């Protein structure tokens, strides 16, 4: 997933935000003008304004999965909703495929949503009076696709999210996980380029959540959408993310790859936030490998350089020889020593590993 | 002492009562004494209202209108022209539906003129044979839900036809089929508008509050002034009466939606219209449907009252039957109304729950099976009617249209039953009746009338203050002050006496019955079903059986009110009891309290907020029934409202009297609602 993102930096990003502010309150605009872009929470609060998003600038590229994290009330949903223009950003510019969406009129906006955007909601937000099939076909029908075609397409989506056989169920007859599958299928029915997911799995219990994450990864493998994904759950973020944005009080504190966020926290807040994160779940083999020395005695085991440590650690620790690290093409690019893994993971000398990762 | 008072509410109540009694004793009843009765300072208000209405109707905003008779433009008031066109339109729609059922010439006349229609004998709509209507309706029931509904719908129509009530029933049905959709549409529009705009909601809210408690009668007079008399006027009065709950429930349903549903709609690419019609309204449809249901019930509840201003049909006949004391006939008519009510109720619910199967691969016949079935029914029905015209050459064609009162009848049976009851229980009934009137009703009424106005205010405002503080106390005072300043305070006291007495009895019965029934799931279900069924009966239906027993007396009214108003008390009690968490009951049992203790100390307090709302509903029900009691002769506000119908200054009188009734209700509503909310908060339920 990440390779695509890295190679396409030169082309127009799918989503680009330039100093986006979202302030709630009647006098938000005048307050923001006075403040000259420097937003102070306490002062705004006194004036009856609530800061949702505070000066957010970033880009998301085609096929990239950006996860937005932060505590409750940090503005994750608000940021996402600004990009979908469910909230009108108070200031700043938001571009989708180079088009300024804040200057779009209603008609253009509807057209944009009908052709490019899909969103999955935490509470599923299915239409209770429609069956699974009708729910999924809904975005197509409002677009004016004929009943026959939209039902056909909806049927395909039902198969895609493994709900075959339940087409004519009503949402109330489905479990939470199944309802969210419908939500996912609905958001994908129009084949959007950009996929918004706001805590899609938070309302599900852990077992189902794991299952849904697997499902999600499978779908993403097939579809390769550009994704904005909000979550509270660091494990989830690590499993899915290409890059992670960490928000606090409306400000994006850091936006980077998972390993960089863990290894090089940009602020004290991010460090605290990531403190408890188990390293082996974040770091790739790259970060702990030593230079390749052809004279060394290697075991038969070979590992990919961008594999997450956790996934191969057991095998590596079980061999007493060094393990060869290969890149995507199969070329050997380094050597892996069990002692080094143990050192990085349990010895606490993250700096050492960090140098190599960067 | 003071401190103890502040802590203990019941001490405050006792003190208030003492003061009240003292005031009653001290204040002398005399004409000039303001403590005894306030002067009727707003006596002129009805007159002012009447003349402003007259002005709007006949002098305001003159416009030029082409008059074809004198072939020239003429100046006419705008309002008059407007209401006249509206009346014409509604009347046409009603006639149109009516002539589908019953045949006729009026819609043809609308397009061609009387002369042409009289000259051409053939230019009449033939009626649909009743067999076709009944069969068609049954097919509709089948299509919407299944065989059971089909059976019920079919039975309803056959019953109506066989008992010779076809014509009035179809007249009523055509009236409801126009009035109900109008009310639903209007309510939906207003509800959505209030949802979109805070200002509209704020303006609408108090108006709806008053309208919902205003007695049905008070709408009639203004409607007559603006729209005249006839089916259309009845329909308009019905629409006015039936719309408020629809607005309420639409707004409630829309507000309850989670914002994510609306956002999901937006992200699916809906435009505003699609969002409203495909997402918001359907998602809120549970509540909206309850609204539709209420509209249908209100329409049927109005059929009798609308007949006072010229609506034809069952209501009219029922009113006449009641006036002539033909109880048997009234009973049959009542059954027809109830059957139609239940039928429409079920059909509308089934329609809302209907779903489509997209992937069923259906043949032409299957896809159009209901149309085909109707076609068959139509042809068979028409053939039967033709055969009928040969068989019943001399007589009425029973297979086409069973004429009014020419069907079977059980009147004599019921009449005999009534006579038998009278003969057998005459002394018992009479004894009870007299005892009740002499020992209970008259003394209570006298006591009410003997209250000095000042004492009444102290008592009611005091209760308001103790329950909800200064705000509620003042609100109660404000409502009552309006009534006290009209010339009808004594009448209002009579209304209040009937209302309070019956509310007390209803509440007692309701709480007892509800508590007992909620002890077991089966009895709970049975009781709720009974409540459901009773609530489908239009209110005046209750008058029929009590009049059978007690004739035209206050006893009849009182019992009818009690029966009618017990329904909400019972229902809310059951709901309250069911809402008590089972852990709490178990906790009670564990700590060794007895059954009765548990009831008094745990269940009743926990259920209280629900019960208080039930009492609130009981008050509303009782008030509306007290006013309907005017139809069989009471001497309270209702009687005056009924009189204002035939009065030249009726508009102002009717409206102000209606407001008086509404304000009694609102005053009580204020206190009970505040109380219920406080209890809820105290129990951590809100
Ligand atoms: N419509 C609104 N009006 C006023 N304030 C709002 C509105 N929507 C959000 N906010 C405020 O903006 C801030 C950010 O809210 P947001 O919903 O984006 O948080 P979040 O990070 O998504 O939290 P959670 O994890 O609980 O979903 C909060 O302080 C919230 O109170
Ligand atoms: Mg959120």
């Amino acid at each position: 997933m990440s390779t695509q993102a890295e190679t396409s930096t030169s082309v127009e990003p799918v989503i680009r935000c330039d100093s986006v502010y979202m302030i709630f309150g009647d006098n938000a605009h005048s307050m923001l003008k006075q403040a000259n872009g420097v937003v102070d929470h306490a002062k705004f609060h006194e004036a009856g304004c609530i800061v949702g998003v505070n000066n957010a600038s970033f880009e998301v590229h085609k096929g990239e999965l950006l996860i937005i994290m932060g505590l409750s009330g940090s503005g994750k949903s608000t940021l996402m909703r600004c990009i979908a223009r469910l909230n009108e950003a108070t200031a700043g510019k938001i571009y989708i495929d180079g088009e300024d969406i804040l200057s779009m009129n209603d008609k253009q906006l509807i057209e944009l949503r009908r052709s490019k955007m899909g969103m999955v909601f935490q509470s599923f937000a299915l239409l209770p009076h429609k069956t699974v099939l009708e729910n999924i076909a809904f975005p197509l029908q409002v677009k004016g696709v004929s009943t026959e075609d939209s039902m056909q397409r909806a049927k395909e989506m039902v198969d895609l999210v493994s709900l075959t056989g339940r087409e004519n169920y009503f949402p109330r007859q489905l479990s939470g996980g199944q309802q969210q599958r419908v939500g996912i299928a609905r958001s994908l029915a129009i084949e959007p380029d950009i996929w918004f997911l706001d805590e899609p799995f938070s309302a599900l219990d852990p077992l189902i959540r794991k299952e849904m994450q697997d499902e999600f990864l499978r779908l993403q493998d097939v579809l390769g959408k550009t994704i904005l994904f909000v979550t509270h759950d660091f494990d989830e973020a690590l499993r899915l993310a290409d890059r992670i944005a960490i928000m606090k009080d409306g400000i994006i504190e850091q936006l980077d790859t998972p390993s960089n966020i863990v290894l090089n926290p940009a602020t004290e807040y991010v460090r605290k936030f990531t403190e408890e994160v188990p390293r082996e779940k974040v770091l790739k083999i790259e970060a702990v490998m030593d230079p390749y020395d052809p004279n060394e005695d290697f075991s038969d085991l070979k590992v990919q350089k961008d594999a997450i440590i956790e996934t191969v650690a057991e095998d590596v620790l079980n061999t007493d020889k060094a393990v060869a690290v290969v890149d995507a093409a199969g070329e050997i690019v380094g050597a892996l020593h069990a002692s080094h893994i143990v050192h990085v993971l349990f010895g606490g000398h993250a700096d050492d590993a960090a140098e190599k990762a960067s | 002492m003071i401190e103890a008072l502040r802590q203990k509410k019941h001490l405050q109540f006792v003190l208030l009562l003492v003061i009240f009694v003292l005031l009653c004793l001290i204040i002398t009843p005399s004409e000039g004494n303001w403590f005894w009765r306030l002067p009727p300072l707003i006596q002129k208000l009805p007159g002012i209202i009447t003349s402003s209405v007259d002005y709007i109707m006949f002098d305001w905003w003159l416009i030029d209108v082409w008059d074809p008779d004198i072939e020239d433009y003429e100046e006419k008031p705008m309002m008059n022209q407007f209401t006249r066109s509206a009346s014409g339109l509604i009347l046409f729609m009603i006639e149109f539906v009516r002539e589908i059922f019953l045949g006729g010439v009026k819609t043809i006349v609308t397009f061609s003129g009387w002369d042409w229609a009289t000259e051409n004998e053939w230019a009449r709509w033939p009626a649909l044979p009743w067999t076709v209507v009944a069969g068609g309706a049954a097919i509709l029931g089948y299509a919407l839900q299944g065989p059971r509904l089909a059976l019920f719908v079919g039975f309803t129509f056959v019953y109506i036809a066989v008992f010779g009530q076809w014509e009035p029933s179809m007249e009523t049905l055509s009236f409801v089929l126009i009035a109900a959709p109008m009310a639903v549409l209007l309510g939906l529009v207003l509800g959505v508008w209030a949802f979109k705009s805070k200002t509209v909601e704020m303006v609408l809210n108090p108006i709806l509050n008053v309208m919902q408690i205003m007695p049905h009668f008070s709408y009639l007079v203004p409607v007559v002034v603006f729209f005249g008399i006839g089916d259309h006027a009845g329909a308009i009065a019905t629409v006015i009466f039936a719309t408020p709950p629809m607005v309420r429930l639409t707004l409630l349903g829309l507000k309850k939606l989670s914002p994510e549903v609306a956002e999901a709609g937006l992200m699916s690419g809906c435009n505003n219209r699609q969002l409203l019609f495909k997402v918001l309204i359907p998602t809120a449809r549970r509540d909206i449907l309850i609204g539709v249901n209420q509209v249908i019930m209100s329409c049927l509840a109005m059929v009798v009252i609308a007949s006072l201003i010229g609506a034809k049909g069952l209501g009219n006949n029922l009113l006449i039957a009641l006036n002539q004391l033909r109880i048997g006939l009234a009973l049959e008519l009542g059954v027809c109304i109830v059957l139609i009510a239940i039928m429409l109720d079920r059909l509308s619910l089934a329609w809302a729950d209907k779903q489509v199967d997209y992937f069923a691969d259906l043949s032409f016949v299957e896809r159009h099976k209901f149309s085909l079935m109707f076609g068959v029914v139509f042809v068979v029905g028409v053939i039967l009617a033709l055969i009928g015209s040969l068989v019943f050459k001399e007589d009425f064609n029973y297979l086409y249209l069973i004429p009014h009162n020419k069907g079977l009848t059980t009147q004599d049976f019921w009449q005999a039953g009534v006579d038998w009851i009278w003969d057998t229980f005459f002394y018992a009934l009479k004894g009870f009746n007299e005892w009740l009137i002499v020992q209970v009703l008259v003394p209570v009424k006298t006591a009410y009338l003997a209250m000095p106005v000042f004492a009444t205010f102290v008592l009611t405002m005091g209760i308001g203050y103790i329950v909800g503080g200064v705000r509620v106390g003042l609100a109660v005072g404000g409502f009552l002050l309006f009534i006290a300043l009209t010339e009808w305070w004594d009448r209002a006291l009579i209304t209040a006496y009937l209302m309070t007495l019956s509310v007390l009895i209803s509440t007692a019965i309701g709480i007892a019955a509800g508590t007992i029934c909620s002890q077991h799931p089966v009895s709970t279900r049975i009781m709720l079903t009974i409540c459901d069924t009773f609530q489908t009966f239009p209110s005046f239906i209750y008058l029929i059986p009590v009049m059978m027993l007690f004739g035209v007396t206050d006893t009849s009214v009182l019992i009818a009110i009690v029966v009618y108003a017990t329904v909400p008390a019972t229902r809310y009690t059951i709901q309250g009891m069911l809402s008590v968490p089972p852990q709490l009951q178990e906790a009670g049992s564990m700590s060794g309290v007895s059954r009765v203790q548990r009831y008094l100390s745990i269940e009743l307090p926990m259920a209280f907020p629900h019960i208080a709302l039930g009492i609130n509903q009981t008050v509303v029900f009782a008030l509306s029934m007290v006013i309907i009691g005017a139809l069989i002769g009471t001497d309270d506000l209702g009687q005056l409202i009924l009189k204002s119908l035939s009065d030249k200054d009726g508009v102002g009188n009717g409206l102000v009297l209606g407001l008086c009734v509404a304000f009694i209700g609102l005053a009580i509503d204020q206190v009970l609602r505040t109380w219920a909310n406080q209890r809820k908060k105290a129990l951590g339920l809100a």
Side-chain angles (χ1 to χ4, degrees):
Chain A
M1 282 177 272
S2 61
T3 46
Q4 247 176 326
E6 276 154 26
T7 52
S8 59
T9 37
S10 56
V11 298
E12 184 70 46
V14 178
I15 302 171
R16 183 151 69 87
C17 292
D18 267 350
S19 310
V20 172
Y21 290 86
M22 178 73 235
I23 317 278
F24 296 100
D26 294 335
N27 45 355
H29 282 277
S30 60
M31 283 296 290
L32 194 62
K33 209 168 245 165
Q34 275 174 30
N36 227 343
V38 186
V39 173
D40 177 58
H41 262 264
K43 223 166 79 193
F44 271 65
H45 199 83
E46 245 165 61
C49 290
I50 297 173
V51 182
V53 175
N54 186 352
N55 196 3
S57 303
F58 63 94
E59 293 176 355
V60 187
H61 294 275
K62 187 160 173 50
E64 191 182 15
L65 199 169
L66 176 69
I67 293 227
I68 308 176
M69 293 201 67
L71 298 178
S72 195
S74 56
K76 310 180 294 288
S77 302
T78 310
L79 177 60
M80 177 181 279
R81 292 156 47 86
C82 282
I83 298 171
R85 228 183 107 173
L86 288 171
N87 284 347
E88 296 286 334
T90 317
K93 295 258 178 227
I94 299 171
Y95 299 92
I96 301 254
D97 287 334
E99 280 186 90
D100 178 5
I101 65 158
L102 294 182
S103 63
M104 284 184 174
N105 60 25
D106 278 357
K107 216 167 158 193
Q108 290 168 314
L109 186 64
I110 288 173
E111 198 40 53
L112 178 76
R113 286 176 179 155
R114 284 180 179 179
S115 60
K116 285 193 184 161
M117 290 179 170
M119 188 180 268
V120 181
F121 296 85
Q122 180 175 359
S123 65
F124 320 137
L126 301 179
L127 300 177
H129 62 291
K130 291 188 182 279
T131 60
V132 167
L133 209 58
E134 289 168 322
N135 261 293
I136 298 175
F138 183 69
L140 296 166
Q141 300 206 316
V142 295
K143 209 171 147 178
V145 178
S146 74
T147 308
E148 202 173 318
D149 292 348
S150 59
M151 286 300 159
Q152 207 50 53
R153 168 88 185 132
K155 188 84 187 56
E156 289 167 28
M157 297 311 303
V158 167
D159 296 340
L160 181 70
V161 295
S162 333
L163 278 177
T164 318
R166 295 184 202 271
E167 290 85 352
N168 289 323
Y169 283 41
F170 282 93
R172 60 173 183 276
Q173 298 166 314
L174 299 176
S175 72
Q178 289 167 336
Q179 290 192 35
Q180 195 57 299
R181 283 169 200 266
V182 179
I184 288 177
R186 173 177 66 185
S187 67
L188 290 175
I190 56 148
E191 302 184 52
D193 300 333
I194 308 172
W195 203 13
F196 299 100
L197 300 103
D198 191 350
E199 305 194 34
F201 309 138
S202 307
L204 308 175
D205 56 56
L207 230 72
I208 312 271
R209 192 182 311 162
K210 172 81 172 47
E211 187 187 314
M212 291 297 290
Q213 287 164 0
D214 291 339
E215 178 88 18
F216 175 76
L217 283 174
R218 182 177 71 78
L219 284 175
Q220 175 59 3
D221 254 0
V222 183
L223 305 169
K225 308 266 179 216
T226 306
I227 298 178
L228 273 189
F229 191 116
V230 171
T231 181
H232 265 123
D233 178 353
F234 227 112
D235 274 348
E236 186 165 271
L238 296 178
R239 289 195 69 195
L240 309 175
D242 290 324
R243 288 193 297 161
I244 298 180
I246 294 190
M247 292 186 74
K248 179 189 175 231
D249 295 341
I251 300 173
I252 298 182
E253 295 270 317
Q254 186 172 7
L255 194 163
D256 216 329
T257 59
S259 51
N260 265 346
I261 288 212
V262 174
L263 297 174
N264 304 324
T267 64
E268 184 58 21
Y269 181 78
V270 176
R271 194 186 67 70
K272 277 244 174 71
F273 200 85
T274 56
E275 208 166 45
E276 299 293 309
V277 177
R279 310 270 130 138
E280 70 273 21
K281 288 194 174 173
V282 193
L283 298 185
K284 295 181 177 165
I285 292 299
E286 266 181 301
V288 291
M289 72 183 182
D290 298 312
Y292 176 53
D293 176 3
N295 301 327
E296 211 174 341
D297 190 12
F298 282 100
S299 80
D300 298 338
L301 191 65
K302 284 194 171 68
V303 293
Q304 291 283 334
K305 79 174 168 113
D306 55 1
I308 300 289
I309 294 177
E310 187 192 33
T311 57
V312 294
E314 201 180 334
D315 294 338
V316 175
L317 292 179
N318 280 342
T319 58
D320 30 9
K321 298 174 190 164
V323 175
V325 179
V326 296
D327 64 8
E331 292 280 318
I332 296 182
V333 291
L336 193 57
H337 298 101
S339 58
H340 197 161
I341 295 186
V342 174
H343 184 67
V344 169
L345 296 187
F346 306 111
H349 291 275
D351 324 345
D352 183 30
E355 266 168 32
K356 289 188 173 149
S358 54
Chain B
M1 175 68 194
I2 302 274
E3 204 43 43
L5 251 185
R6 200 166 284 158
Q7 296 296 327
K8 298 257 186 253
K9 285 226 162 143
H10 42 271
L11 277 187
Q12 296 175 7
F13 278 118
V14 171
L15 185 68
L16 183 67
L17 213 60
V18 171
I19 298 176
F20 170 71
V21 172
L22 282 180
L23 281 173
C24 284
L25 294 177
I26 294 170
I27 297 169
T28 48
S30 69
E31 271 301 306
N33 186 353
W34 281 25
F35 287 106
W36 168 247
R37 288 290 185 265
L38 289 176
L41 290 180
I42 54 171
Q43 201 175 12
K44 295 234 162 58
L45 185 64
I48 296 172
I49 295 179
T50 308
S51 39
S52 358
V53 168
D54 277 350
Y55 171 75
I56 292 178
M57 192 62 188
F58 300 112
D59 296 317
W60 175 65
W61 195 357
L62 298 177
I63 51 170
D64 282 332
V65 181
W66 174 257
D67 186 336
D69 288 339
I70 54 170
E71 303 210 326
D72 199 0
Y73 286 97
E74 213 187 353
E75 258 196 358
K76 297 218 171 117
M78 207 283 299
M79 203 58 190
N80 200 330
Q81 289 301 308
F82 169 74
T83 57
R84 193 182 281 184
S85 334
S87 305
L89 183 66
I90 295 170
L91 197 57
F92 175 77
M93 292 193 292
I94 295 176
E95 295 290 356
F96 183 73
V97 179
R98 192 164 284 175
E99 292 186 353
I100 291 178
F101 288 133
L102 294 174
V105 71
K106 287 196 186 145
T107 41
I108 295 178
V109 169
T110 312
F111 290 112
S112 58
W114 273 111
D115 298 339
W116 187 84
T118 353
E119 276 163 28
N120 298 283
E121 276 287 315
W122 52 268
R124 307 185 93 254
W125 294 114
L128 280 180
W130 71 266
T131 45
V132 175
V133 177
I139 292 172
L140 184 67
Y142 187 76
L144 291 178
Q145 197 181 60
R148 275 181 59 187
L149 187 58
L151 216 63
F152 178 73
V153 173
F155 168 78
T156 301
F157 278 97
V158 172
Y159 174 92
I160 289 171
V162 167
F163 281 85
Q165 303 298 352
W166 188 257
E167 284 171 67
S169 295
M170 291 306 113
E171 279 169 355
T172 296
L173 196 60
S174 58
F175 168 85
V176 172
L177 284 180
I178 296 302
M182 274 170 57
V184 167
L185 217 65
L186 189 64
L188 209 57
V189 170
L190 288 177
V192 169
W193 195 19
F195 175 67
K196 298 229 153 160
S197 150
K198 270 265 162 301
T199 332
V200 174
E201 191 191 343
M202 258 162 47
V203 174
L204 224 47
N205 209 13
I207 299 181
L208 292 181
N209 272 341
V210 174
M211 279 178 78
Q212 274 187 311
I213 305 194
M214 281 263 265
H216 321 31
F217 285 152
S218 8
Y219 300 133
L220 298 184
V221 202
V223 169
V224 170
V225 171
F226 282 114
F227 298 95
I229 280 186
D231 281 303
H232 61 281
I236 290 168
T238 306
V239 169
I240 296 175
F241 174 67
T243 304
M246 185 71 202
V247 180
R248 269 279 147 72
L249 284 156
T250 306
L251 184 59
L252 180 85
L254 289 174
K255 276 186 155 177
K256 262 197 340 212
L257 294 185
S258 91
E260 288 203 339
V261 170
E263 283 166 6
L266 283 176
M267 289 309 292
S268 298
C270 287
N271 55 31
N272 281 335
R273 197 169 38 84
Q274 287 170 326
L275 188 68
L276 188 61
F277 290 109
K278 296 198 165 169
V279 178
L280 296 180
I281 291 180
T283 311
R285 96 185 184 296
R286 278 269 151 260
D287 289 295
I288 293 179
L289 274 181
I290 298 175
V292 172
N293 207 322
Q294 298 246 316
V295 165
I296 292 176
M297 293 304 128
S298 311
C299 284
L300 284 156
M302 276 296 274
V303 294
V304 167
I305 292 155
S307 73
L308 289 175
I309 55 171
K312 294 198 236 351
L314 291 170
N316 195 23
N317 296 4
L318 178 58
L319 198 65
I320 296 171
L322 280 180
N323 279 340
Q324 299 172 342
L325 282 179
R326 290 172 63 188
I327 303 296
L329 179 60
L331 209 64
E332 276 181 2
L333 290 164
V335 172
C336 285
I337 295 180
V338 169
L339 281 177
I340 293 179
I342 298 179
M343 175 187 81
L344 290 177
D345 178 50
R346 298 292 139 83
L347 280 175
S348 64
L349 286 182
W351 171 57
D353 278 341
K354 196 163 164 43
Q355 47 170 305
V356 197
D357 187 355
Y358 287 97
F359 281 98
D361 201 6
L362 297 177
S363 64
F364 177 84
V365 175
E366 273 181 81
R367 216 171 313 146
H368 297 91
K369 71 176 169 202
F370 296 121
S371 320
L372 291 176
M373 272 158 78
F374 181 74
V376 171
V377 166
F378 184 82
V379 172
V380 171
V382 170
I383 292 174
L384 276 179
L386 287 176
I387 295 174
S389 69
L390 297 177
V391 175
F392 304 107
K393 257 203 187 85
E394 311 297 308
D395 211 345
F396 301 109
N397 183 352
Y398 286 103
L399 291 175
Y400 176 52
L401 253 188
I402 299 178
H404 187 41
N405 289 345
K406 285 291 179 286
L408 294 180
T409 175
T410 48
Q411 273 184 60
D412 296 336
F413 170 77
W414 294 111
Q415 205 64 51
V418 174
D419 291 343
W420 180 79
I421 291 175
W422 271 92
D423 290 342
T424 322
F425 299 108
F426 180 74
Y427 291 105
L429 284 174
K430 190 161 174 257
F432 174 72
N433 200 356
E434 271 176 7
W435 170 81
L436 192 72
I437 291 178
V438 176
Q439 300 295 325
V440 182
L441 297 184
V442 173
V444 175
K445 187 167 162 182
T446 322
Y448 265 73
L449 287 172
M451 279 193 299
V453 73
F454 184 67
T456 316
F457 270 84
V458 169
L459 182 68
T460 49
M461 289 175 72
I463 293 175
Y465 172 73
I466 295 174
V467 169
V470 178
R471 204 186 55 79
V472 176
L474 284 180
V476 171
F479 285 132
L480 293 193
L481 187 63
F482 179 87
I483 307 174
L485 291 179
T486 64
E487 50 186 325
W488 297 306
W489 178 251
D490 286 81
R491 301 290 188 146
L493 285 176
I494 299 178
T495 300
Y497 121 79
L498 266 176
M499 195 259 314
T500 35
L501 203 59
S502 43
V503 165
L504 283 179
I505 302 175
S506 292
T507 310
I509 300 178
I511 293 180
T515 309
I516 294 169
C517 288
S518 64
Q519 301 305 316
H520 194 277
V522 175
S523 55
T524 304
R525 228 188 24 248
I526 293 175
M527 199 61 194
L528 284 178
T529 315
I530 294 178
C531 287
D532 276 346
T533 317
F534 270 61
Q535 247 172 6
T536 347
F537 299 171
S539 41
F540 50 82
I541 294 288
Y542 293 85
L543 292 175
I544 304 172
V546 290
M547 276 179 65
M548 277 167 77
L549 298 178
F550 299 102
V552 183
T553 56
D554 272 13
T555 313
S556 291
V557 180
L558 182 76
I559 294 178
I561 304 172
V562 167
V563 177
Y564 184 56
T566 302
V567 176
T570 313
R571 174 194 292 279
Y572 280 82
T573 305
I574 292 182
Q575 279 166 0
M577 286 296 172
L578 293 182
S579 72
V580 178
Q583 310 91 289
L584 257 184
Q585 302 190 357
E586 278 155 26
S589 308
M590 291 306 287
S591 46
V593 292
S594 76
R595 186 72 202 79
V596 176
Q597 279 174 330
R598 194 175 87 194
Y599 173 67
L600 288 179
S601 63
I602 299 179
E603 293 172 11
L604 198 58
M606 284 301 284
F608 181 78
H610 269 99
I611 296 178
L613 292 180
I615 300 177
N616 209 346
Q617 280 297 302
T618 306
V619 170
V620 174
F621 274 50
L623 264 181
S624 83
M625 198 67 179
V626 171
I627 304 303
I628 289 177
L631 284 178
I632 56 173
T634 48
D635 53 357
D636 65 338
L637 292 171
Q639 197 53 245
L640 288 178
I641 299 179
L642 195 60
K643 279 207 188 97
S644 71
L645 265 177
S646 46
D647 187 2
K648 70 174 175 24
D649 292 334
V651 193
N653 281 347
L655 276 180
V656 174
L657 284 162
L659 281 180
C660 288
V661 178
F663 286 172
I664 297 179
L666 287 175
I668 298 176
D669 176 83
Q670 275 285 327
V671 175
L672 281 176
R673 212 173 274 278
T674 317
W675 195 9
N677 285 341
Q678 280 178 358
R679 292 304 305 161
K680 255 193 199 162
K681 270 212 195 93
L683 295 170
L685 297 175

